[in-house]
Amino acid sequence: MTDALTFRPMREADLDTVVAIEFAAFSHPWTRGIFADCLKSGYQGWLMFLGEQQVGHGVISRVLDEAHLLNITVKPENQGRGLGLALLSHLMQCAKEQDCQTCYLEVRESNAAAYRLYERFGFNEIGRRRDYYPSSDGREDALVMAYMLLD
């Protein structure tokens, strides 16, 4: 990657591009309304740029000293280049800066690439939510993972 990787907060004006990336990346993407509700609720949305190109986004929420990673997406044509790890690292730094001690997330049981990313970063599987996600053939379990943000 020769272009600089930068991040900036997500705004409502960004949602057309965010939703386009989301729909390209997932079989069951978040809608514009979900992203808009997150921003209105005070969740942190972040955009990731490679040079001038928006290549990803993420959303985290905070309650007391806990963060919850709600969404992390890298544009399909930019996947496999370490950008997911960079975005995850940025989001975890944001959570640390808000004095969060632990971050939780859910990941589709079938999403082996995301699971490996989270595990490589230091997340540990702590549970399962049965039938959490919609899938093409009904419902799919979510694996619950946690990461300790303390230094």
Side-chain angles (χ1 to χ4, degrees):
M1 290 185 284
T2 57
D3 290 326
L5 196 60
T6 58
F7 302 90
R8 77 161 169 79
M10 186 186 298
R11 300 182 294 252
E12 188 152 355
D14 300 315
L15 294 186
D16 287 343
T17 304
V18 167
V19 170
I21 292 170
E22 186 79 5
F23 272 72
F26 295 116
S27 63
H28 293 82
W30 276 22
T31 64
R32 180 186 183 89
I34 293 171
F35 283 105
D37 287 346
C38 286
L39 294 178
K40 289 175 190 165
S41 298
Y43 298 172
Q44 284 193 23
W46 286 91
L47 304 180
M48 178 174 62
F49 292 87
L50 185 58
E52 298 296 315
Q53 182 188 19
Q54 185 177 326
V55 294
H57 56 266
V59 177
I60 56 174
S61 68
R62 175 180 167 248
V63 176
L64 302 174
D65 65 351
E66 294 180 358
H68 194 150
L69 178 61
L70 301 171
N71 182 298
I72 185 169
T73 306
V74 173
K75 209 173 191 180
E77 59 267 29
N78 295 102
Q79 292 176 3
R81 300 172 56 194
L83 297 175
L85 190 60
L87 180 55
L88 181 58
S89 181
H90 175 78
L91 295 169
M92 293 304 97
Q93 184 59 42
C94 291
K96 279 183 184 181
E97 289 170 3
Q98 289 195 337
D99 297 322
C100 291
Q101 295 183 18
T102 308
C103 183
Y104 297 95
L105 63 82
E106 291 86 17
V107 61
R108 286 179 182 274
E109 184 175 35
S110 65
N111 194 343
Y115 186 92
R116 282 191 307 273
L117 169 71
Y118 301 136
E119 194 174 47
R120 186 173 62 204
F121 191 84
F123 279 83
N124 294 298
E125 186 177 331
I126 61 168
R128 174 182 297 264
R129 297 189 198 283
R130 299 250 179 245
D131 297 330
Y132 187 77
Y133 288 111
S135 69
S136 58
D137 58 351
R139 305 294 298 178
E140 178 178 0
D141 289 356
L143 304 175
V144 181
M145 302 183 83
Y147 175 72
M148 299 302 294
L149 293 159
L150 302 174
D151 291 326

